[in-house]
Amino acid sequence: NSHIELDEALTHSFFIENGLPGVLFYYPLPNNHILYNVLCVLIQAVYEDPFWILKWPAFIVSILGTIAVFLGYRSVLPFSVAFFGTALFSFSQYTLYFSVHGRGYSFLFLCGQAAGLAIYKISKGKGDHNWLPFLIFSILGFWLVPIFLYSLAGICLFGFLMFFYSRNWVALK
């Protein structure tokens, strides 16, 4: 018994039906998850049913994002910790809900996890090349939806505390 929820219907009516200009330049209410809606417009070329137009991007990103997050955590944590941490997060109520709920929150989770992981690696002195992923995922997060500000504030606070605790001021350069 599949259905489209109210905010999905608003997203489809206000943004996706208006094509790329409607997604990129029209912001009448804070419901525009821009990157997600761009993908929905692209999927609209293949599917006509709004249900699939709205569900596919969130579903695909949640699957690929879960794999990417696991691999990212695996680069700094033992296999068992990365596996069980990713599994617990993946099977939590809200993660399962947003993995099929046609909105951009799966993207928001992915960008937040990637930016946080980059800050963690920077604070551990794992190279200057981690600033680029931090910047890219932070910019993508804001392009998704402006509420990424809250995630980024938490990530920056985490980074500051990591730098302060480790006294690794060289990594900030």
Side-chain angles (χ1 to χ4, degrees), residues 14-79:
F14 278 98
F15 305 112
I16 297 168
E17 284 184 345
N18 296 320
L20 282 178
V23 169
L24 296 174
F25 304 114
Y26 186 60
Y27 208 89
L29 53 109
N31 201 35
N32 191 0
H33 294 218
I34 299 168
L35 181 58
Y36 163 80
N37 289 342
V38 166
L39 291 176
C40 286
V41 168
L42 297 175
I43 288 175
Q44 193 172 17
V46 179
Y47 293 101
E48 291 182 8
D49 184 1
F51 178 83
W52 293 113
I53 292 168
L54 292 165
K55 301 295 184 181
W56 272 115
F59 182 66
I60 291 168
V61 166
S62 67
I63 289 174
L64 297 177
T66 299
I67 294 167
V69 166
F70 167 74
L71 294 174
Y73 285 142
R74 181 64 189 102
S75 69
V76 295
L77 297 169
F79 175 84

Coordinates of all heavy atoms in Angstrom, one line a residue, residues 14-79:
F14 N 5.3 21.9 -6.4 CA 5.9 23.2 -6.4 C 7.2 23.2 -7.2 O 7.6 24.2 -7.8 CB 6.2 23.7 -5.0 CG 5.1 24.3 -4.3 CD1 4.3 23.5 -3.4 CD2 4.7 25.6 -4.6 CE1 3.2 24.1 -2.8 CE2 3.6 26.2 -4.0 CZ 2.9 25.4 -3.1
F15 N 8.0 22.1 -7.2 CA 9.3 22.2 -7.8 C 9.5 21.3 -9.0 O 9.9 21.7 -10.0 CB 10.4 21.8 -6.7 CG 10.2 22.7 -5.5 CD1 9.8 22.2 -4.3 CD2 10.5 24.1 -5.5 CE1 9.7 23.0 -3.1 CE2 10.4 24.9 -4.4 CZ 10.0 24.3 -3.2
I16 N 9.3 20.0 -8.8 CA 9.7 19.0 -9.9 C 8.9 19.2 -11.1 O 9.4 19.1 -12.2 CB 9.6 17.6 -9.3 CG1 10.6 17.4 -8.2 CG2 9.8 16.6 -10.4 CD1 10.4 16.2 -7.3
E17 N 7.6 19.5 -11.0 CA 6.7 19.7 -12.2 C 7.2 20.9 -13.0 O 6.9 21.0 -14.1 CB 5.3 19.8 -11.8 CG 4.6 18.5 -11.4 CD 3.2 18.6 -11.1 OE1 2.7 19.8 -10.9 OE2 2.5 17.6 -11.1
N18 N 7.9 21.8 -12.3 CA 8.4 23.0 -13.0 C 9.7 22.9 -13.7 O 10.3 23.8 -14.2 CB 8.4 24.2 -12.1 CG 7.0 24.6 -11.6 OD1 6.0 24.5 -12.3 ND2 6.9 24.9 -10.3
G19 N 10.3 21.7 -13.6 CA 11.6 21.4 -14.3 C 12.7 22.0 -13.5 O 12.6 22.4 -12.4
L20 N 13.9 22.0 -14.2 CA 15.1 22.5 -13.6 C 15.0 24.0 -13.1 O 15.5 24.3 -12.0 CB 16.3 22.3 -14.5 CG 16.9 20.9 -14.5 CD1 18.0 20.8 -15.5 CD2 17.3 20.4 -13.1
P21 N 14.4 24.9 -13.9 CA 14.3 26.2 -13.4 C 13.5 26.3 -12.1 O 13.8 27.1 -11.2 CB 13.6 27.0 -14.6 CG 13.9 26.2 -15.8 CD 14.0 24.8 -15.3
G22 N 12.4 25.5 -12.0 CA 11.6 25.5 -10.8 C 12.4 25.0 -9.6 O 12.2 25.4 -8.5
V23 N 13.3 24.0 -9.8 CA 14.1 23.5 -8.8 C 15.2 24.4 -8.3 O 15.4 24.7 -7.2 CB 14.7 22.1 -9.2 CG1 15.7 21.6 -8.2 CG2 13.6 21.1 -9.3
L24 N 15.8 25.0 -9.3 CA 17.0 25.8 -9.0 C 16.8 27.2 -8.6 O 17.5 27.8 -7.8 CB 18.0 25.8 -10.3 CG 18.5 24.5 -10.7 CD1 19.3 24.6 -12.0 CD2 19.4 23.9 -9.6
F25 N 15.7 27.8 -9.1 CA 15.5 29.3 -8.9 C 14.2 29.6 -8.2 O 13.9 30.8 -7.9 CB 15.5 30.0 -10.2 CG 16.8 29.7 -11.0 CD1 16.7 29.0 -12.2 CD2 18.0 30.1 -10.5 CE1 17.9 28.8 -12.9 CE2 19.2 29.9 -11.2 CZ 19.1 29.2 -12.4
Y26 N 13.4 28.7 -7.8 CA 12.1 29.0 -7.2 C 12.1 28.4 -5.7 O 12.3 27.2 -5.5 CB 11.0 28.3 -8.0 CG 9.6 28.6 -7.5 CD1 9.1 29.9 -7.5 CD2 8.7 27.6 -7.2 CE1 7.8 30.2 -7.1 CE2 7.4 27.9 -6.8 CZ 7.0 29.2 -6.8 OH 5.7 29.5 -6.4
Y27 N 11.9 29.3 -4.8 CA 12.0 28.9 -3.4 C 10.9 29.5 -2.6 O 11.2 30.4 -1.7 CB 13.4 29.3 -2.8 CG 13.9 28.4 -1.7 CD1 14.6 27.2 -2.0 CD2 13.6 28.6 -0.4 CE1 15.0 26.4 -1.0 CE2 14.0 27.8 0.7 CZ 14.7 26.7 0.4 OH 15.1 25.8 1.4
P28 N 9.6 29.2 -2.8 CA 8.5 29.8 -2.1 C 8.3 29.4 -0.7 O 7.7 30.0 0.1 CB 7.3 29.5 -3.0 CG 7.7 28.1 -3.5 CD 9.1 28.2 -3.8
L29 N 8.8 28.2 -0.4 CA 8.7 27.7 1.0 C 9.9 26.8 1.3 O 10.6 26.3 0.4 CB 7.4 26.9 1.2 CG 7.2 25.8 0.2 CD1 7.3 24.4 0.8 CD2 5.7 25.9 -0.4
P30 N 10.3 26.7 2.6 CA 11.5 25.9 2.9 C 11.3 24.4 2.8 O 11.5 23.7 3.7 CB 11.8 26.3 4.3 CG 10.5 26.7 4.9 CD 9.7 27.2 3.7
N31 N 11.0 24.0 1.5 CA 10.8 22.6 1.3 C 11.6 22.1 0.1 O 11.3 21.0 -0.4 CB 9.3 22.4 1.0 CG 8.8 20.9 1.3 OD1 9.4 20.3 2.1 ND2 7.9 20.4 0.5
N32 N 12.5 22.9 -0.4 CA 13.2 22.6 -1.6 C 14.5 22.0 -1.3 O 15.5 22.7 -0.9 CB 13.4 23.9 -2.4 CG 13.9 23.6 -3.8 OD1 14.1 22.5 -4.2 ND2 14.1 24.6 -4.6
H33 N 14.6 20.7 -1.4 CA 15.9 20.0 -1.3 C 16.5 19.9 -2.7 O 16.2 19.0 -3.5 CB 15.7 18.6 -0.7 CG 15.2 18.6 0.7 ND1 15.6 17.7 1.6 CD2 14.3 19.4 1.3 CE1 15.0 17.9 2.8 NE2 14.2 18.9 2.6
I34 N 17.3 20.9 -3.0 CA 17.7 21.2 -4.3 C 18.3 20.0 -5.1 O 17.9 19.7 -6.2 CB 18.6 22.5 -4.4 CG1 17.8 23.6 -3.8 CG2 19.0 22.8 -5.8 CD1 18.7 24.9 -3.5
L35 N 19.4 19.5 -4.6 CA 20.1 18.4 -5.3 C 19.1 17.2 -5.5 O 19.1 16.6 -6.5 CB 21.3 17.9 -4.5 CG 22.2 16.8 -5.2 CD1 22.6 17.2 -6.6 CD2 23.4 16.5 -4.3
Y36 N 18.4 16.8 -4.4 CA 17.4 15.7 -4.5 C 16.4 16.0 -5.7 O 16.1 15.2 -6.5 CB 16.7 15.6 -3.2 CG 15.4 14.8 -3.3 CD1 15.4 13.4 -3.4 CD2 14.2 15.4 -3.3 CE1 14.3 12.7 -3.5 CE2 13.0 14.7 -3.4 CZ 13.1 13.4 -3.5 OH 11.9 12.7 -3.6
N37 N 15.9 17.3 -5.7 CA 14.9 17.6 -6.7 C 15.5 17.7 -8.1 O 14.8 17.3 -9.1 CB 14.3 19.0 -6.4 CG 13.4 18.9 -5.2 OD1 12.9 17.8 -4.8 ND2 13.1 20.1 -4.6
V38 N 16.8 18.0 -8.2 CA 17.4 17.9 -9.6 C 17.4 16.5 -10.0 O 17.1 16.2 -11.2 CB 18.9 18.5 -9.5 CG1 19.7 18.1 -10.7 CG2 18.8 20.0 -9.3
L39 N 17.8 15.6 -9.2 CA 17.7 14.1 -9.5 C 16.3 13.7 -9.9 O 16.1 12.9 -10.8 CB 18.3 13.3 -8.4 CG 19.8 13.5 -8.2 CD1 20.3 12.6 -7.0 CD2 20.6 13.1 -9.4
C40 N 15.4 14.2 -9.1 CA 14.0 13.8 -9.5 C 13.6 14.3 -10.8 O 12.9 13.6 -11.6 CB 13.0 14.4 -8.4 SG 13.1 13.6 -6.8
V41 N 14.0 15.5 -11.2 CA 13.7 16.0 -12.6 C 14.4 15.1 -13.6 O 13.7 14.8 -14.6 CB 14.2 17.5 -12.7 CG1 14.2 18.0 -14.1 CG2 13.3 18.4 -11.8
L42 N 15.6 14.7 -13.4 CA 16.2 13.8 -14.3 C 15.5 12.5 -14.4 O 15.4 11.9 -15.5 CB 17.7 13.6 -13.9 CG 18.6 14.8 -13.9 CD1 20.0 14.5 -13.4 CD2 18.6 15.5 -15.3
I43 N 15.1 11.9 -13.3 CA 14.3 10.7 -13.3 C 13.0 10.8 -14.0 O 12.4 9.9 -14.5 CB 14.2 10.1 -11.9 CG1 15.6 9.6 -11.4 CG2 13.2 9.0 -11.7 CD1 15.7 9.2 -10.0
Q44 N 12.4 12.0 -13.9 CA 11.1 12.3 -14.5 C 11.2 12.0 -16.1 O 10.2 11.8 -16.7 CB 10.7 13.7 -14.2 CG 9.3 14.0 -14.6 CD 8.9 15.4 -14.1 OE1 9.7 16.2 -13.7 NE2 7.6 15.7 -14.0
A45 N 12.4 12.1 -16.6 CA 12.5 11.8 -18.1 C 12.3 10.3 -18.3 O 12.0 9.9 -19.5 CB 13.9 12.2 -18.5
V46 N 12.5 9.5 -17.3 CA 12.3 8.0 -17.5 C 11.0 7.5 -17.0 O 10.4 6.7 -17.6 CB 13.5 7.3 -16.8 CG1 13.3 5.8 -16.9 CG2 14.8 7.8 -17.3
Y47 N 10.6 8.0 -15.8 CA 9.3 7.6 -15.2 C 8.3 8.7 -15.2 O 8.7 9.9 -15.1 CB 9.5 7.2 -13.7 CG 10.4 6.0 -13.5 CD1 11.7 6.1 -13.2 CD2 9.8 4.7 -13.7 CE1 12.5 4.9 -13.0 CE2 10.6 3.6 -13.5 CZ 11.9 3.7 -13.1 OH 12.7 2.6 -13.0
E48 N 7.0 8.4 -15.4 CA 6.0 9.4 -15.3 C 5.3 9.4 -14.0 O 4.7 10.3 -13.6 CB 5.0 9.1 -16.5 CG 5.5 9.4 -17.8 CD 4.5 9.2 -18.9 OE1 3.3 9.0 -18.6 OE2 4.8 9.3 -20.1
D49 N 5.3 8.2 -13.3 CA 4.6 8.1 -12.0 C 5.3 8.9 -10.9 O 6.5 8.6 -10.6 CB 4.6 6.6 -11.7 CG 3.8 6.3 -10.4 OD1 3.2 7.3 -9.8 OD2 3.7 5.1 -10.0
P50 N 4.7 9.9 -10.3 CA 5.3 10.7 -9.3 C 5.9 9.8 -8.1 O 6.8 10.2 -7.5 CB 4.2 11.6 -8.8 CG 3.2 11.7 -9.9 CD 3.3 10.3 -10.6
F51 N 5.2 8.7 -7.8 CA 5.7 7.8 -6.7 C 7.2 7.4 -7.0 O 8.0 7.6 -6.1 CB 4.8 6.6 -6.6 CG 5.3 5.6 -5.5 CD1 5.0 5.9 -4.2 CD2 6.1 4.6 -5.9 CE1 5.4 5.0 -3.2 CE2 6.5 3.7 -4.9 CZ 6.2 3.9 -3.6
W52 N 7.5 6.9 -8.2 CA 8.8 6.5 -8.5 C 9.8 7.6 -8.7 O 10.9 7.6 -8.3 CB 8.8 5.6 -9.7 CG 8.1 4.3 -9.4 CD1 6.9 3.9 -10.0 CD2 8.5 3.3 -8.5 NE1 6.6 2.6 -9.4 CE2 7.5 2.3 -8.5 CE3 9.6 3.1 -7.6 CZ2 7.6 1.1 -7.7 CZ3 9.7 2.0 -6.9 CH2 8.7 1.0 -6.9
I53 N 9.3 8.7 -9.2 CA 10.1 9.9 -9.4 C 10.6 10.4 -8.0 O 11.8 10.8 -7.9 CB 9.3 11.1 -10.1 CG1 9.0 10.7 -11.5 CG2 10.1 12.4 -10.0 CD1 8.0 11.6 -12.2
L54 N 9.8 10.3 -7.0 CA 10.1 10.8 -5.7 C 10.9 9.8 -4.9 O 11.7 10.2 -4.0 CB 8.8 11.2 -5.0 CG 8.1 12.4 -5.5 CD1 6.7 12.5 -5.0 CD2 8.9 13.7 -5.2
K55 N 10.7 8.5 -5.1 CA 11.3 7.5 -4.2 C 12.7 7.1 -4.7 O 13.5 6.8 -3.9 CB 10.4 6.3 -4.2 CG 9.0 6.6 -3.6 CD 9.0 7.0 -2.2 CE 7.6 7.2 -1.6 NZ 7.6 7.6 -0.3
W56 N 12.9 7.0 -6.0 CA 14.2 6.4 -6.5 C 15.4 7.2 -6.0 O 16.4 6.5 -5.6 CB 14.2 6.3 -8.0 CG 13.7 5.0 -8.5 CD1 12.5 4.9 -9.3 CD2 14.2 3.7 -8.3 NE1 12.3 3.5 -9.5 CE2 13.3 2.8 -9.0 CE3 15.3 3.2 -7.6 CZ2 13.6 1.4 -8.9 CZ3 15.5 1.9 -7.6 CH2 14.7 1.0 -8.3
P57 N 15.5 8.5 -6.1 CA 16.7 9.2 -5.6 C 17.1 8.9 -4.2 O 18.2 8.6 -3.9 CB 16.4 10.7 -5.9 CG 15.4 10.7 -6.9 CD 14.5 9.5 -6.7
A58 N 16.1 9.0 -3.3 CA 16.4 8.7 -1.9 C 16.8 7.3 -1.7 O 17.8 7.0 -0.9 CB 15.1 9.0 -1.1
F59 N 16.2 6.3 -2.3 CA 16.5 4.9 -2.2 C 17.9 4.6 -2.7 O 18.8 4.0 -2.0 CB 15.5 4.1 -2.9 CG 15.7 2.6 -2.8 CD1 15.6 2.0 -1.6 CD2 16.1 1.8 -3.9 CE1 15.8 0.6 -1.4 CE2 16.3 0.5 -3.8 CZ 16.2 -0.2 -2.5
I60 N 18.3 5.1 -3.9 CA 19.6 4.8 -4.5 C 20.7 5.5 -3.6 O 21.7 4.9 -3.3 CB 19.6 5.3 -5.9 CG1 18.7 4.4 -6.8 CG2 21.1 5.3 -6.5 CD1 18.5 5.0 -8.2
V61 N 20.5 6.7 -3.2 CA 21.5 7.4 -2.4 C 21.7 6.8 -1.1 O 22.8 6.7 -0.5 CB 21.2 8.9 -2.3 CG1 22.0 9.6 -1.2 CG2 21.4 9.6 -3.6
S62 N 20.6 6.3 -0.5 CA 20.7 5.6 0.8 C 21.5 4.3 0.7 O 22.3 4.0 1.6 CB 19.4 5.4 1.5 OG 18.6 4.4 0.7
I63 N 21.4 3.6 -0.4 CA 22.1 2.4 -0.5 C 23.6 2.7 -0.8 O 24.5 2.2 -0.1 CB 21.5 1.5 -1.6 CG1 20.2 0.9 -1.2 CG2 22.5 0.4 -2.0 CD1 19.5 0.1 -2.3
L64 N 23.8 3.5 -1.8 CA 25.2 3.9 -2.1 C 25.9 4.7 -1.0 O 27.1 4.5 -0.7 CB 25.3 4.7 -3.4 CG 24.8 3.9 -4.7 CD1 24.8 4.8 -5.9 CD2 25.6 2.7 -4.9
G65 N 25.1 5.5 -0.4 CA 25.7 6.3 0.8 C 26.1 5.4 1.9 O 27.1 5.6 2.6
T66 N 25.3 4.4 2.2 CA 25.6 3.5 3.3 C 26.9 2.7 3.0 O 27.8 2.6 3.9 CB 24.5 2.4 3.5 OG1 23.3 3.1 3.8 CG2 24.8 1.4 4.6
I67 N 27.1 2.3 1.8 CA 28.4 1.6 1.4 C 29.5 2.6 1.5 O 30.6 2.3 2.1 CB 28.3 1.1 0.0 CG1 27.2 -0.1 -0.1 CG2 29.6 0.6 -0.5 CD1 26.8 -0.5 -1.4
A68 N 29.3 3.9 1.0 CA 30.4 4.9 1.1 C 30.8 5.2 2.5 O 31.9 5.3 2.9 CB 30.0 6.1 0.3
V69 N 29.8 5.4 3.4 CA 30.0 5.7 4.8 C 30.8 4.5 5.5 O 31.7 4.7 6.2 CB 28.7 6.0 5.5 CG1 28.9 6.0 7.0 CG2 28.2 7.4 5.1
F70 N 30.4 3.3 5.2 CA 31.1 2.1 5.8 C 32.5 2.2 5.3 O 33.4 2.0 6.2 CB 30.4 0.8 5.3 CG 31.3 -0.4 5.7 CD1 31.5 -0.8 7.0 CD2 32.0 -1.0 4.6 CE1 32.3 -1.9 7.3 CE2 32.8 -2.1 4.9 CZ 33.0 -2.5 6.2
L71 N 32.8 2.4 4.0 CA 34.2 2.4 3.5 C 35.0 3.6 4.2 O 36.1 3.4 4.5 CB 34.2 2.5 2.0 CG 33.7 1.2 1.3 CD1 33.6 1.5 -0.2 CD2 34.5 0.0 1.6
G72 N 34.3 4.7 4.3 CA 35.0 5.8 5.0 C 35.3 5.5 6.4 O 36.4 5.8 6.9
Y73 N 34.4 5.0 7.2 CA 34.7 4.6 8.6 C 35.7 3.5 8.6 O 36.5 3.4 9.6 CB 33.4 4.2 9.3 CG 32.5 5.4 9.6 CD1 31.2 5.3 9.6 CD2 33.1 6.6 10.0 CE1 30.4 6.3 9.9 CE2 32.3 7.7 10.4 CZ 30.9 7.5 10.3 OH 30.2 8.6 10.6
R74 N 35.7 2.6 7.7 CA 36.6 1.5 7.6 C 38.1 2.0 7.5 O 39.0 1.4 7.9 CB 36.3 0.5 6.5 CG 37.2 -0.7 6.4 CD 37.1 -1.6 7.6 NE 38.1 -2.6 7.6 CZ 39.2 -2.5 8.3 NH1 39.5 -1.5 9.1 NH2 40.1 -3.5 8.1
S75 N 38.2 3.2 6.9 CA 39.5 3.7 6.7 C 40.2 4.2 8.0 O 41.4 4.5 8.0 CB 39.5 4.9 5.6 OG 38.8 6.0 6.1
V76 N 39.3 4.4 9.0 CA 39.9 4.9 10.3 C 39.5 4.0 11.5 O 40.0 4.3 12.6 CB 39.4 6.4 10.6 CG1 39.9 7.3 9.6 CG2 37.9 6.5 10.7
L77 N 38.7 3.1 11.3 CA 38.2 2.2 12.4 C 38.4 0.7 12.0 O 38.5 0.4 10.9 CB 36.7 2.4 12.7 CG 36.4 3.8 13.2 CD1 34.8 4.0 13.1 CD2 36.9 4.1 14.5
P78 N 38.5 -0.1 13.0 CA 38.6 -1.6 12.8 C 37.3 -2.0 12.1 O 36.2 -1.4 12.2 CB 38.7 -2.2 14.2 CG 39.1 -1.1 15.1 CD 38.6 0.2 14.5
F79 N 37.4 -3.1 11.3 CA 36.2 -3.6 10.5 C 35.0 -3.8 11.4 O 33.9 -3.3 11.0 CB 36.6 -4.9 9.9 CG 35.4 -5.5 9.1 CD1 35.1 -5.2 7.9 CD2 34.6 -6.5 9.8 CE1 34.0 -5.7 7.2 CE2 33.6 -7.1 9.1 CZ 33.2 -6.7 7.8

